[in-house]
Amino acid sequence: MMFLSLLIFSVMASSSGPLNDELQCSICLDVFTDPVTTPCVHNFCRTCLNKCWTNTQTCCCPLCKETLSRRPDLKINTTLREVVKHFKEKLSLGRSEVFCDICDERKQKAVKSCLTCQSSYCETHLEPHHRVPRLKKHKLINAVENLEDYICQKHERPLELFCRDDQTCVCLSCTEGDHRNHNTVPIEEESQQKKNQLVQTQTDVQQMIQNRMKMIQEIQHSVVIRKRNTEEEKSARNQLFTDLICSIERCQSELLKMMEEQQKAAEKQAEDLIKELQQEITDLKRRNTELEQLSHTDDHLYLLQMFSSLCSRPHTKNWTEISIDSDVDVIPMSRALIQFKKTLDETLDGKLIPSELKLVQKFAVDVTLDPDTAHPYLILSDDEKQVSDGDTEQDVPENPKRFDSCSCILAKEGFSSGRFYYEVQVKGKTEWDLGVARESINRKEAIDLSPEDGYWTVILRNENHYKACESPSVSLSLKVNPEIVGVFVDYEEGLVSFYDVGLRSHIYSFTGQTFTEKLYPYFSPCPNDKGKNSKPLIITPVNTNKLL
């Protein structure tokens, strides 16, 4: 009781503050009853909106006047209804009446409490405090029931000051004892400062609410887009499957089943995210209502006591880390699917299904070269997107991250989970190395490009000899020299894939790998070879149309 009442000092807060606009129907100007939401995202009482649309052929929003193509099926906004319910419950919590301590027979309602007399008075018995000079000096506040909570228990004097050192309310006598030389201010001054902070906190909470409502719309929209993309993808694959030989029909069924399962999982994920966001919105709106009431109170002691618990930032999930996918995910290949892909490659002459490259491209990341790792022979562009071999040693500082024996460099960005993709222009080069490397590779000795030594790479030698650096290496037969190479990594699946972006074809994949530490994009423009291989490797922007 002391915790809640110490701050009720100058003026008691009214039983209800100004009505929050978000809880008010703009038609009846009252708190929502069975709130519904229009397609333009405005809220009204269901009855009020139905009355507006009675006997009219064209439905439009009463607030923004947006015309609707057809009359929507209005469903109650359950989240908003819960917020309104909580708001009404808060309003219904009235304070118990305080009666005059002087009245003998029928007790009259007290209008003021005197902290000096430690008594409450009705209008009649309060009169001497307005007339008698000595009584005029007494400290009057709006009538309160727990008057003893406004008095210093040690000195029996009114709590009129706030000690900022100890964050507590004190009386004048306290400043001559335990709180001597402490930073004390009038309680009204501290209350106003806390009010200002409350206003800012309320603004932050309101913005968080809006952000989460917007995210709900984005999630719902992404599900619609994803479902449309899934249907289009199914249609395209069905047409392809129809043209293939009977030996891949079983693979067709398996692939479609996996796609349906992914769609269901995506819809379930979206549903769970929406529920979580709606719960956060309910909690935040409840916090916003409490902040609204507290920010309009003139009861300084009450405000100060409640400030620390209400003004702290609510504990919510960091939604900036949540990604919303609209495209169909890349499906890890089982043994049957690997055979299926082989058949497709033979049938389609190495071409990818048009959407497959798009699926990996949606995991594109911004990659920049790390000059601290560059071999002294390498020359970087100012934007750290291009690297070439200068054929002479550059004056660079010693660095434990730098490659000293081989002409190579890493990216600044490392990845220890998830999927990522980037593209590199290799046009005009006679030799190059591309791929990823783990963080702990030895950078001071000769390099052996193999997964056992922490490298997953594809290389070019002698203008047209391509190899995947497995153990042992695998020669690759490419009909056309790639101009742009795409590199895709799925950390959890242990997959590193390489693509010819121009032909939209698959070059090679390292599968079944186990990654236990951070991976960095790896580049080597290889020796200049007296100008024959002087062209740079260029990290290029990924050209993809991402929906969400």
Side-chain angles (χ1 to χ4, degrees):
M1 186 65 179
M2 173 69 75
F3 178 81
L4 292 175
S5 60
L6 256 179
L7 301 179
I8 307 176
F9 183 60
S10 294
V11 181
M12 285 288 289
S14 59
S15 61
S16 64
L19 186 61
N20 192 307
D21 290 341
E22 292 186 7
L23 305 183
Q24 182 182 29
C25 174
S26 60
I27 300 176
C28 66
L29 302 180
D30 202 350
V31 181
F32 288 122
T33 300
D34 292 336
V36 295
T37 304
T38 61
C40 53
V41 201
H42 290 124
N43 301 308
F44 306 93
C45 299
R46 182 167 62 177
T47 302
C48 294
L49 191 57
N50 283 330
K51 286 182 180 179
C52 286
W53 288 349
T54 301
N55 300 325
T56 180
Q57 295 181 346
T58 303
C59 297
C60 67
C61 174
L63 190 60
C64 70
K65 306 304 180 184
E66 178 180 333
T67 302
L68 307 178
S69 59
R70 61 182 181 84
R71 184 164 181 166
D73 182 19
L74 299 176
K75 296 182 179 180
I76 294 177
N77 187 328
T78 55
T79 300
L80 184 56
R81 182 174 62 181
E82 289 301 312
V83 174
V84 171
K85 178 181 176 182
H86 178 75
F87 181 76
K88 289 181 177 180
E89 289 174 352
K90 286 290 184 180
L91 291 181
S92 65
L93 294 177
R95 303 180 183 220
S96 58
E97 290 187 342
V98 180
F99 294 97
C100 179
D101 293 328
I102 308 301
C103 292
D104 292 329
E105 298 179 356
R106 184 179 180 182
K107 292 283 188 180
Q108 297 296 315
K109 184 178 178 180
V111 294
K112 293 289 182 180
S113 295
C114 177
L115 296 181
T116 308
C117 301
Q118 299 189 29
S119 298
S120 299
Y121 302 101
C122 63
E123 195 68 54
T124 300
H125 291 113
L126 182 64
E127 187 272 337
H129 280 75
H130 296 314
R131 175 174 47 82
V132 178
R134 178 177 57 82
L135 296 180
K136 286 182 178 181
K137 298 179 181 180
H138 288 193
K139 185 69 174 181
L140 296 177
I141 63 172
N142 282 357
V144 293
E145 185 178 19
N146 50 328
L147 191 56
E148 66 277 3
D149 291 339
Y150 297 80
I151 306 298
C152 176
Q153 299 300 309
K154 183 176 181 179
H155 302 108
E156 297 186 352
R157 296 186 65 178
L159 295 168
E160 299 178 286
L161 301 171
F162 185 80
C163 176
R164 288 178 171 171
D165 293 344
D166 296 333
Q167 292 292 299
T168 187
C169 300
V170 297
C171 70
L172 286 172
S173 296
C174 291
T175 62
E176 299 172 358
D178 295 341
H179 298 270
R180 182 188 298 273
N181 298 326
H182 284 193
N183 181 14
T184 57
V185 295
I187 200 169
E188 294 84 357
E189 178 182 335
E190 183 69 15
S191 176
Q192 184 59 48
Q193 184 184 87
K194 292 295 191 288
K195 267 192 177 183
N196 295 338
Q197 296 181 35
L198 280 172
V199 171
Q200 182 57 49
T201 302
Q202 185 182 14
T203 300
D204 294 342
V205 171
Q206 290 172 342
Q207 185 60 50
M208 293 170 70
I209 293 172
Q210 293 300 320
N211 291 343
R212 280 150 181 76
M213 293 180 70
K214 181 179 179 182
M215 184 166 283
I216 287 179
Q217 294 176 347
E218 291 176 351
I219 292 174
Q220 292 171 333
H221 184 53
S222 72
V223 172
V224 173
I225 294 176
R226 184 189 179 102
K227 190 170 185 178
R228 183 187 67 194
N229 291 345
T230 299
E231 294 303 319
E232 292 175 354
E233 187 73 13
K234 286 168 58 180
S235 177
R237 291 181 186 267
N238 276 327
Q239 184 61 46
L240 177 63
F241 293 151
T242 302
D243 298 334
L244 294 175
I245 60 177
C246 296
S247 63
I248 62 173
E249 289 181 352
R250 180 176 58 84
C251 297
Q252 171 191 4
S253 175
E254 179 181 349
L255 185 59
L256 291 177
K257 181 179 178 181
M258 292 177 70
M259 290 177 63
E260 291 289 353
E261 289 175 351
Q262 280 196 344
Q263 175 62 27
K264 291 179 181 179
E267 292 181 351
K268 178 61 168 61
Q269 180 189 25
E271 180 182 348
D272 292 342
L273 285 173
I274 290 173
K275 287 181 179 179
E276 191 170 357
L277 280 163
Q278 287 175 335
Q279 181 59 50
E280 283 200 10
I281 289 174
T282 299
D283 296 340
L284 288 168
K285 286 193 173 183
R286 183 180 298 115
R287 171 69 69 88
N288 188 56
T289 299
E290 294 169 349
L291 288 168
E292 176 74 16
Q293 293 177 340
L294 192 60
S295 65
H296 286 87
T297 184
D298 293 324
D299 191 331
H300 309 299
L301 282 171
Y302 180 75
L303 183 148
L304 292 175
Q305 188 65 42
M306 297 300 295
F307 176 82
S308 59
S309 60
L310 289 182
C311 200
S312 60
R313 184 179 180 86
H315 295 291
T316 57
K317 178 180 285 188
N318 182 2
W319 291 97
T320 60
E321 298 179 356
I322 304 301
S323 61
I324 306 169
D325 292 338
S326 300
D327 292 323
V328 183
D329 288 344
V330 178
I331 303 174
M333 290 189 176
S334 64
R335 182 177 302 175
L337 290 177
I338 292 175
Q339 179 60 41
F340 172 56
K341 186 185 183 306
K342 180 179 178 181
T343 306
L344 281 180
D345 285 344
E346 294 172 353
T347 304
L348 301 178
D349 193 25
K351 296 283 187 177
L352 293 174
I353 299 172
S355 64
E356 185 172 341
L357 183 59
K358 178 184 176 183
L359 294 179
V360 298
Q361 284 179 324
K362 75 173 184 173
F363 298 105
V365 295
D366 185 21
V367 173
T368 53
L369 299 167
D370 185 357
D372 290 341
T373 66
H375 184 272
Y377 273 51
L378 297 185
I379 300 175
L380 274 64
S381 61
D382 292 339
D383 63 358
E384 298 178 341
K385 294 291 186 180
Q386 302 184 30
V387 60
S388 59
D389 186 281
D391 223 8
T392 57
E393 186 171 355
Q394 311 294 313
D395 184 15
V396 294
E398 290 290 333
N399 193 308
K401 296 166 57 177
R402 190 178 307 283
F403 288 94
D404 290 342
S405 299
C406 298
S407 180
C408 50
I409 185 173
L410 299 180
K412 292 180 179 179
E413 298 77 19
F415 304 87
S416 56
S417 64
R419 303 164 180 169
F420 63 93
Y421 173 87
Y422 62 95
E423 294 179 352
V424 183
Q425 179 177 310
V426 297
K427 182 179 179 180
K429 294 192 65 62
T430 60
E431 294 188 356
W432 51 258
D433 303 349
L434 288 177
V436 293
R438 66 186 177 213
E439 187 172 26
S440 64
I441 53 174
N442 190 332
R443 310 180 191 198
K444 304 302 179 181
E445 298 178 358
I447 290 176
D448 181 13
L449 294 178
S450 67
E452 289 76 12
D453 288 307
Y455 296 88
W456 292 265
T457 59
V458 166
I459 66 174
L460 167 65
R461 296 292 183 267
N462 300 322
E463 297 189 33
N464 57 12
H465 185 198
Y466 295 90
K467 291 196 304 182
C469 296
E470 291 269 19
S471 295
S473 62
V474 178
S475 294
L476 305 175
S477 178
L478 303 184
K479 296 180 180 180
V480 179
N481 289 351
E483 294 187 354
I484 297 179
V485 175
V487 183
F488 172 71
V489 177
D490 187 328
Y491 194 96
E492 282 72 24
E493 288 293 331
L495 173 69
V496 181
S497 295
F498 298 82
Y499 299 91
D500 182 334
V501 177
L503 292 182
R504 305 182 69 79
S505 62
H506 175 258
I507 297 175
Y508 188 79
S509 288
F510 293 85
T511 60
Q513 307 298 305
T514 300
F515 303 131
T516 59
E517 57 184 275
K518 189 173 289 188
L519 299 179
Y520 288 85
Y522 167 87
F523 312 82
S524 175
C526 294
N528 184 285
D529 193 17
K530 298 180 180 179
K532 295 180 181 179
N533 190 37
S534 61
K535 293 288 186 180
L537 293 176
I538 304 174
I539 301 171
T540 59
V542 176
N543 183 15
T544 180
N545 296 319
K546 297 179 72 175
L547 294 174
L548 282 175

